[in-house]
Amino acid sequence: MPDGQNVSVSSDFYKKMEGDAKMSDVQNVMETLVEEHLDKLMENASVCTCDYCRADIKALALNKLPARYASRLEGNLITRVDNMRRQASTDVIAAITEAINIVSENPRHGPRK
């Protein structure tokens, strides 16, 4: 804290938060953006779409991207996703494409029949 001062928050703030959402009620916006692009990019790449491959691609892509958390207060998450979508779409698409290449070369399952 600046100058060793304590910052206090009024009890009204906590009462409002209790009514709106839990303090831990947050969402990784990058996960939302990956979900938004994942199926289309997988379809275009003609990669296996089984649950294993889809989960591995999603996990690899998310591990390449910085986490961006937003609270889930009504309307707040949607606004933040819209703002971040414009900024992060290129990075999200690149991360998913790289993950698709890795998983298609090294799937956790054997060859598909």
Side-chain angles (χ1 to χ4, degrees), residues 6-91:
N6 290 329
V7 175
S8 63
V9 178
S10 73
S11 60
D12 291 338
F13 170 81
Y14 290 110
K15 286 178 187 171
K16 179 169 179 6
M17 290 303 293
E18 282 181 70
D20 290 343
K22 296 178 187 134
M23 295 294 275
S24 64
D25 207 6
V26 295
Q27 170 80 34
N28 181 356
V29 174
M30 296 307 261
E31 186 169 354
T32 303
L33 295 175
V34 166
E35 280 289 339
E36 188 175 278
H37 293 286
L38 186 61
D39 291 327
K40 185 69 170 170
L41 290 170
M42 287 178 68
E43 180 182 312
N44 289 343
S46 299
V47 67
C48 176
T49 58
C50 77
D51 290 341
Y52 289 114
C53 289
R54 188 178 193 287
D56 287 346
I57 291 167
K58 182 178 176 181
L60 283 170
L62 285 169
N63 283 328
K64 290 280 185 182
L65 295 164
R68 296 287 183 251
Y69 288 94
S71 64
R72 290 187 187 182
L73 296 175
E74 190 173 329
N76 189 22
L77 182 60
I78 293 168
T79 301
R80 293 210 185 196
V81 168
D82 286 342
N83 290 337
M84 288 184 196
R85 180 181 293 118
R86 288 182 225 111
Q87 297 170 4
S89 282
T90 303
D91 293 338

